[in-house]
Amino acid sequence: MIPSVLPTYSRAPLNFVKGEGSWLVEADGRRFLDLGAGIAVNALGHAHPKLVDAITTQAQNLWHVSNLYEIPQQQALADILVDNTFADTVFFTNSGTESCELAVKMARKYFFDQGEPERVEIITFDGSFHGRSSAGIAAAGSEKMTKGFGPLLPGFVHLTFGDLDGVTNAITDKTAAILIEPVQGEGGIRVVPDADLKALRDICDSAGILLILDEVQCGVGRTGKLFAHEWAGITPDIMMVAKGIGGGFPLGAVLATERAASGMTAGTHGSTYGGNPLGCAVGCAVLNEVAQPRFLAEVSRKSSLMRQKLEGLVAAHPDVFEEVRGAGLMLGLKCVAPNVDVVNAGYAAQVITVPAADNVIRLLPALNLTDDDINEAFTRLDTAATQVETA
Ligand SMILES: *Cc1c(COP(=O)(O)O)cnc(C)c1O
């Protein structure tokens, strides 16, 4: 008999009933150190007082009004994003997938309005992940995600990750945009080098096409800058955001320049929930913390501390781990042992990590985890690795 919850997930037998900072409490009382943060979602950890306050205050006043009306919280969040990024304008969604949908529509509509309706193709890369909608799976293109789901949304050209020559050769008069994650998350914490991001920006400029960045996982302070592309000193034309921006409330956004967004006039796109008062009140509270230079500097400091300890862990357990990769607090351990064995050993040691492709485990902790949390993380990861070795 089919379970009452559609069985699309393979779940660990863990029932968390409470969260506090970087800690999750299981129904049986065990405390787990959370280095997954709901897959880079709980940017400020669990039950952060300022987020609890923001959502409680807003909930007592007004949860939801339609986008038929003005929404001051949405305006405030858009202003914060515009003030702190390349963007001139923002659309709010409820998820990364929806942000992907709009990014694709926006790029195509831009060229349509420029009198180039045949410019619909978007170049993407293997190992990428852009969500589970028809556009998202077509963008990623992997057999794992697309097989059995009927005709794919056309207009995506898939290239090998890191193949810049391939990009230049793939651009035709049908190409509208390049879509890339500055740091691949699901693909195994694969960082696009700054020089490659710069080169992609140049390729887009000389071909007159748009650069779309998917910062759903690597954005919102995760790498130690508010958005990951800032490290490369470039800006995109369109950027997808979600995960961390809501700190656990389902919230996403598409940020764009005025030019790239110029086709998206009244009536061309919409969302019932996207940008509602509850979500945007929380989003403002998240960004008021994360966008502070002091906060971002702390992310970089903790990243160095973690990396240093991770290098030690890899050196101490060469039969379990191969290398450390990533940026900021978006870190990966490439495993020698099967990554799911390491994740499961982590559960036994009461530390949460997240598997990714390429036999990697991801460490995506709350951005405000403490130095004590970091020390505890290594005690527990060391226990987990020892268990894998002796299994
Ligand atoms: C998680 C993710 C998405 C999809 O976001 P959802 O909120 O699950 O729809 C898209 N792109 C990237 C890079 C992601 O990590």
Side-chain angles (χ1 to χ4, degrees):
M1 202 173 64
I2 191 167
S4 57
V5 174
L6 189 72
T8 57
Y9 302 103
S10 48
R11 296 175 195 270
L14 293 168
N15 281 278
F16 297 116
V17 292
K18 191 170 169 57
E20 298 165 342
S22 289
W23 293 84
L24 283 167
V25 183
E26 222 272 347
D28 63 11
R30 281 180 302 158
R31 289 169 63 82
F32 287 70
L33 183 58
D34 183 9
L35 302 182
I39 314 187
V41 167
N42 302 104
L44 294 177
H46 301 282
H48 189 283
K50 289 191 177 160
L51 301 198
V52 172
D53 183 56
I55 199 165
T56 309
T57 306
Q58 189 58 46
Q60 281 159 352
N61 285 304
L62 182 64
W63 291 32
H64 178 83
V65 288
S66 164
N67 280 304
L68 292 168
Y69 314 106
E70 298 289 343
I71 301 177
Q73 296 78 9
Q74 186 181 130
Q75 183 64 55
L77 183 53
D79 288 344
I80 294 173
L81 288 166
V82 167
D83 286 349
N84 285 281
T85 69
F86 75 96
D88 301 312
T89 188
V90 184
F91 182 93
F92 292 101
T93 68
N94 311 285
S95 67
T97 300
E98 288 166 84
S99 295
C100 179
E101 291 294 318
L102 174 55
V104 170
K105 286 175 70 176
M106 186 182 279
R108 290 178 173 176
K109 185 64 160 46
Y110 171 76
F111 286 106
F112 182 88
D113 287 1
Q114 298 296 306
E116 294 192 86
E118 72 289 345
R119 265 198 200 274
V120 296
E121 282 182 2
I122 296 176
I123 292 173
T124 64
F125 298 89
D126 67 27
S128 65
F129 183 80
H130 302 296
R132 297 289 197 151
S133 65
S134 296
I137 63 175
S142 71
E143 185 175 305
K144 184 177 163 224
M145 263 187 285
T146 58
K147 196 178 177 187
F149 293 115
L152 283 182
L153 184 69
F156 293 93
V157 175
H158 304 106
L159 301 182
T160 305
F161 181 81
D163 178 11
L164 290 184
D165 291 340
V167 175
T168 312
N169 295 332
I171 292 174
T172 69
D173 55 10
K174 289 200 173 68
T175 310
I178 295 170
L179 165 58
I180 190 165
E181 298 159 77
V183 183
Q184 281 192 350
E186 305 305 308
I189 312 292
R190 295 201 290 177
V191 181
V192 178
D194 289 349
D196 285 18
L197 274 185
K198 284 200 187 85
L200 288 172
R201 178 70 270 178
D202 288 344
I203 290 168
C204 286
D205 289 342
S206 42
I209 62 172
L210 302 175
L211 180 62
I212 306 174
L213 295 181
D214 182 344
E215 293 224 16
V216 169
Q217 195 162 147
C218 64
V220 193
R222 181 62 43 195
T223 66
K225 297 273 189 196
L226 188 55
F227 290 100
H229 65 264
E230 295 171 34
W231 289 111
I234 59 129
T235 58
D237 301 288
I238 300 172
M239 180 169 71
M240 299 151 51
V241 178
K243 293 202 166 92
I245 194 173
F249 193 95
L251 179 65
V254 174
L255 279 61
T257 63
E258 182 168 12
R259 180 176 77 99
S262 59
M264 303 308 295
T265 51
T268 54
H269 197 64
S271 168
T272 295
Y273 293 117
N276 88 353
L278 208 51
C280 288
V282 179
C284 286
V286 170
L287 281 178
N288 283 337
E289 294 297 305
V290 174
Q292 287 182 34
R294 262 182 303 130
F295 185 95
L296 294 168
E298 273 291 279
V299 172
S300 290
R301 185 187 63 80
K302 287 169 195 169
S303 169
S304 307
L305 189 58
M306 281 193 74
R307 275 199 96 109
Q308 189 192 324
K309 288 179 175 271
L310 285 173
E311 296 291 355
L313 191 74
V314 170
H317 301 281
D319 296 338
V320 181
F321 301 118
E322 188 175 320
E323 67 162 2
V324 186
R325 44 168 88 161
L329 292 174
M330 184 169 185
L331 295 166
L333 283 170
K334 167 100 170 146
C335 297
V336 179
N339 62 346
V340 288
D341 291 356
V342 182
V343 171
N344 286 331
Y347 294 151
Q350 291 166 230
V351 59
I352 309 280
T353 60
V354 184
D358 203 23
N359 204 35
V360 162
I361 66 167
R362 277 177 280 181
L363 310 182
L364 309 160
L367 302 179
N368 59 352
L369 90 165
T370 65
D371 289 15
D372 284 350
D373 293 335
I374 294 175
N375 289 331
E376 189 59 37
F378 286 92
T379 307
R380 293 179 184 221
L381 289 172
D382 191 60
T383 306
T386 305
Q387 193 198 308
V388 172
E389 279 160 356
T390 52

